[in-house]
Amino acid sequence: MLHRPTSHSAAIGPGPVPSLANPGPALEQQPRHAPQAPSCGSEAFCVDPQALSSSHPRQHTQYPYVTGTSVLGITFKDGVLLACDTLGAYGSTKRYKSFDRLRKVNDVCMVGASGELSDFQYIMRLLEELSDDDFCMDDGHHLKPAEVHSYLTRVLYNRRNKMDPLWNSLVVGGFHSGKPFLGTVGMIGTSYTDAHLATGFGNHLARPLMREKHHPDMSEEEAVALMHECLKVCYYRDKNSINKFQLAKVTKDGVSISEPFALETNWGFKLFQNPAANAVGTW
Amino acid sequence: MAQAGGFSFDLCKRNEFLEARGMKGPGFTKTGTTIAGVIFKDGVVLGADTRSTAGTTVADKNCEKIHYIAPNIYCCGAGTAADTENVTGMVASQLELHRYATGTQSRVITAMTLLKSHLFRYQGHVSAALVLGGVDFRGPHLFTVYPHGSTDSLPFCTMGSGSLNAMAVFEAGYKDDMSKEEAMELVARAIRSGVMNDLGSGSNVDLCIISKEGVEYKRNHEYLQGKTYERQFPQRFAAGSVPVVRERVYDIRKAVTVVEGEPMEMES
C-alpha cells in the first residue's frame, strides 16, 4: 500500500488527505502576506494564514456556489446508464455550460455528481489518486464499483461528522462480475443502491417514469429511450438545466461517455398558442 | 371601526407572545395531494387522489377532492382542506345565485375570477391551490389558481405535493387533440404516479370528465390501495364452525315487571 500522507493541520483538519493537500513545514514560516496580495494562488496549495490563527471560530461550508442539477441512473441488461446535463449554475445564472458532471473512475466504474462542483473536483482528485495507486501497483487490480461506492460513503459521512460537508449527491455506476451496480451517496453520507436512481429534481420528475417503465432486462435501446424521456422532462420542469446532455454507459466492454447532445423539445402545443383567449387577465 | 372584510390581525401579537411562552398553536388538516387536469378534444378531464393528511397521519383515507362548482364546472383542491372546501362551496353558491339572476349557463372564467379575487384579498392566508376545469359555450377551459390569487390557463396542469410526479407523466405523454379514453388514461396515470411516488398522496384515484354533453363523476375510478381483507359486519360464523363450550339460558321475564305508567311532565 502506498504511503498516504496525513495531516495534523488545524487549517485543513486531521486525517489522510490527497498529497497535494498536505501543508508542508514551509507553510508555518510563510512570509506574512500583505492584505492586498491574496494568499491563494501564490503556491500550489496554500492555506489562508488567517485560518491558522484561531482568533475567531472557523466557519465551514454553509451553502454551495457553483452547482449541478440532477443526475439520473438506470441499470439495463448489460450494464448501467448515467445521464445528466452539462450545466454549472452560479445561483440562477447559467455560468458554465460545458461542465462534465459524469466522470470515469476506471474501466468498470463511473461517477456522476450534482451539487457543489468544486467539491466534486476534490472527490475526483481523491478517486484519481486511488486509481493511480492501483495503476502503479501494476497487478491488474482495480477498484470495484461497490468499493468506490463504499469509499465515497465513508468520505462524505466523515466530512459530515466534522460539520464541513462535501456538498454533493453522487451516483456511482459500474459493471463487475457480469452484474450491473448502481448506488448513490448523499451529502450527509446517506447511501443505498437500487435499480434506478436520481438526485435532486430527478427524484420527483424522473423516478416516477423510471418506476413505470424500468425492468431489469431492458435492452440498451429501451434504456436510452427511457433516459431521453426522463432528461427531457427534467429539462422542461427544472429551472437550473440546459438542453445539453451527456450519457455515460458502462458495460463489460468498459466505460464510454458520449459527446454532449441536445433533445428535441416541443413548445408548440395548440393550446399554448393563446392561453388568455378565453380568460382575460390570466397569462 | 368596523372592517368590511379580510382578516383582523389584532390577536397576532398576543399569539406570538403565547407561542414564545410555549403554547402550541392549533394545527390544521392539509391535503398533501396530487390533483391534475387535462384538456382533450371535446372537454376536460380532472383527476385527484383521495388521501387527506393531518401532519404525518392520514386523516381521511377516501376524501373527495373534486368539488362541484356548477353543473358544467368542477374544481380540484389542494392545500388546507377547510379552505378548499369552503372557498369552492362559496363560489358554487355565488354562481347558483348568478344563474338564477341571468338565466344562463355559468362560465368557467366567472368561477375563476370569483376564486382569484377572494384568494388575493386574503393575501395567501387562505391556503387553497386549485385546478379549475369546465366546459361552457366557448369550449373547454382549464385553469390553475394559486393561494395568492394568480391563475394560469393551461392545456395540462398539476397541483399539490405530488404535482411534480404527475407533471412528469404529463410532459412525457401529452398530445394535442386526445380522445376521451386517452385523456382519462393519461390523467389516471398521472394521479397514480403521484400516489405511488409521493407520501402525501394516496389511496384511490377519482376522475371527473366534463364535456358539452355533461359530467361523468367517476368516484374511486381506481382502487390503488384497497384493503386486501374486508371484515364483514356483523360477523357471520357458519353454523357448526364454532364449538359450544357452555350454554346458559336466562329468562329475563322472571326479573322484570312491566308496569303501565303515566307520561312524564315536560315543560311546555
Side-chain angles (χ1 to χ4, degrees), chain B residues 85-116:
Chain B
E85 290 201 18
N86 283 292
V87 109
T88 49
M90 187 191 76
V91 168
S93 312
Q94 290 178 340
L95 280 183
E96 183 152 359
L97 293 172
H98 191 252
R99 276 201 295 286
Y100 287 134
T102 58
T104 54
Q105 190 195 46
S106 298
R107 304 187 195 187
V108 187
I109 49 170
T110 317
M112 185 200 81
T113 309
L114 288 170
L115 286 165
K116 81 193 286 187

Side-chain angles (χ1 to χ4, degrees), chain A residues 204 211-212 237 270 278, chain B residues 109 165 171 177 189 197:
Chain A
H204 297 105
R211 284 195 173 122
E212 258 186 10
R237 291 285 160 173
K270 281 202 324 225
N278 293 322
Chain B
I109 49 170
N165 301 307
E171 288 284 13
D177 292 328
R189 252 184 78 204
N197 293 287

Side-chain angles (χ1 to χ4, degrees), chain A residues 224-265:
Chain A
V224 171
L226 175 57
M227 270 306 202
H228 282 186
E229 199 178 33
C230 294
L231 285 171
K232 209 190 292 199
V233 174
C234 288
Y235 169 63
Y236 277 137
R237 291 285 160 173
D238 182 0
K239 171 184 96 159
N240 276 345
S241 60
I242 53 173
N243 193 1
K244 187 174 169 193
F245 309 102
Q246 275 185 310
L247 206 57
K249 178 178 68 168
V250 64
T251 57
K252 64 175 176 15
D253 305 318
V255 173
S256 65
I257 304 184
S258 71
E259 286 299 302
F261 62 91
L263 290 172
E264 236 189 80
T265 55

Side-chain angles (χ1 to χ4, degrees), chain B residues 3 10 15 36 62 65-66 70-71 87 92 113 193 222 248-249 264:
Chain B
Q3 269 183 303
D10 297 340
N15 290 341
N62 204 2
K65 298 189 191 178
I66 307 185
V87 109
T113 309
S193 169
E222 272 179 37
R248 254 192 239 173
V249 179
M264 206 166 69

Side-chain angles (χ1 to χ4, degrees), chain A residues 100-229:
Chain A
D100 290 337
R101 295 194 290 121
L102 297 176
R103 302 279 172 92
K104 170 177 152 168
V105 177
N106 54 34
D107 284 324
V108 295
C109 186
M110 55 188 180
V111 168
S114 68
E116 172 62 58
L117 295 179
S118 62
D119 286 343
F120 176 50
Q121 289 175 324
Y122 172 73
I123 287 170
M124 281 318 298
R125 244 201 349 213
L126 295 177
L127 290 174
E128 270 158 22
E129 267 207 38
L130 292 176
S131 301
D132 290 347
D133 288 352
D134 281 333
F135 178 80
C136 292
M137 282 295 199
D138 201 18
D139 55 5
H141 282 272
H142 48 221
L143 281 174
K144 306 181 186 57
E147 291 173 341
V148 172
H149 182 236
S150 183
Y151 172 74
L152 291 174
T153 310
R154 303 264 54 84
V155 167
L156 262 58
Y157 183 65
N158 273 283
R159 286 291 297 260
R160 163 248 190 250
N161 283 339
K162 293 184 201 152
M163 296 298 287
D164 183 13
L166 290 165
W167 207 284
N168 290 113
S169 296
L170 306 167
V171 178
V172 177
F175 192 80
H176 181 75
S177 342
K179 282 200 303 278
F181 176 90
L182 185 61
T184 184
V185 192
M187 102 181 183
I188 52 176
T190 313
S191 86
Y192 50 91
T193 58
D194 205 337
H196 46 80
L197 289 170
T199 65
F201 250 91
N203 275 311
H204 297 105
L205 294 169
R207 281 315 276 294
L209 296 171
M210 292 173 179
R211 284 195 173 122
E212 258 186 10
K213 304 203 174 150
H214 178 271
H215 52 94
D217 30 59
M218 293 174 87
S219 68
E220 193 183 316
E221 290 73 35
E222 289 178 311
V224 171
L226 175 57
M227 270 306 202
H228 282 186
E229 199 178 33

Side-chain angles (χ1 to χ4, degrees), chain B residues 20-251:
Chain B
R21 291 295 190 91
M23 170 194 94
K24 211 166 117 29
F28 43 85
T29 310
K30 282 193 66 111
T31 51
T33 296
T34 311
I35 50 177
V38 127
I39 297 187
F40 65 99
K41 199 154 46 118
D42 313 309
V44 171
V45 178
L46 299 174
D49 75 307
T50 62
R51 173 181 285 186
S52 162
T53 49
T56 51
T57 322
V58 175
D60 187 347
K61 291 184 284 191
N62 204 2
C63 68
E64 284 188 27
K65 298 189 191 178
I66 307 185
H67 308 285
Y68 166 89
I69 302 255
N72 58 323
I73 307 174
Y74 276 74
C75 184
C76 310
T80 307
D83 289 337
T84 57
E85 290 201 18
N86 283 292
V87 109
T88 49
M90 187 191 76
V91 168
S93 312
Q94 290 178 340
L95 280 183
E96 183 152 359
L97 293 172
H98 191 252
R99 276 201 295 286
Y100 287 134
T102 58
T104 54
Q105 190 195 46
S106 298
R107 304 187 195 187
V108 187
I109 49 170
T110 317
M112 185 200 81
T113 309
L114 288 170
L115 286 165
K116 81 193 286 187
S117 351
H118 180 82
L119 292 174
F120 179 71
R121 196 153 128 253
Y122 286 86
Q123 288 292 295
H125 291 287
V126 176
S127 171
L130 310 167
V131 169
L132 174 71
V135 177
D136 56 26
F137 78 105
R138 295 203 68 162
H141 302 266
L142 184 64
F143 302 110
T144 49
V145 186
Y146 288 84
H148 284 265
S150 65
T151 53
D152 286 315
S153 172
L154 293 166
F156 55 91
C157 55
T158 63
M159 295 288 258
S161 57
S163 63
L164 269 72
N165 301 307
M167 185 52 86
V169 171
F170 277 163
E171 288 284 13
Y174 175 79
K175 307 193 300 254
D176 279 327
D177 292 328
M178 283 187 285
S179 71
K180 186 174 97 159
E181 286 67 33
E182 288 176 319
M184 279 172 65
E185 182 48 41
L186 186 65
V187 174
R189 252 184 78 204
I191 303 295
R192 234 180 294 140
S193 169
V195 165
M196 297 303 179
N197 293 287
D198 176 44
L199 292 171
S201 313
S203 301
N204 316 121
V205 178
D206 286 350
L207 284 187
C208 182
I209 305 109
I210 312 172
S211 60
K212 224 167 35 184
E213 286 76 46
V215 172
E216 270 179 74
Y217 190 95
K218 292 195 182 302
R219 170 81 174 135
N220 291 348
H221 171 72
E222 272 179 37
Y223 281 104
L224 292 180
Q225 268 138 38
K227 283 163 100 160
T228 46
Y229 171 69
E230 281 282 346
R231 188 168 66 140
Q232 280 181 310
F233 191 81
Q235 290 225 280
R236 296 187 195 290
F237 297 102
S241 61
V242 179
V244 178
V245 176
R246 200 163 35 171
E247 200 174 312
R248 254 192 239 173
V249 179
Y250 287 107
D251 190 0

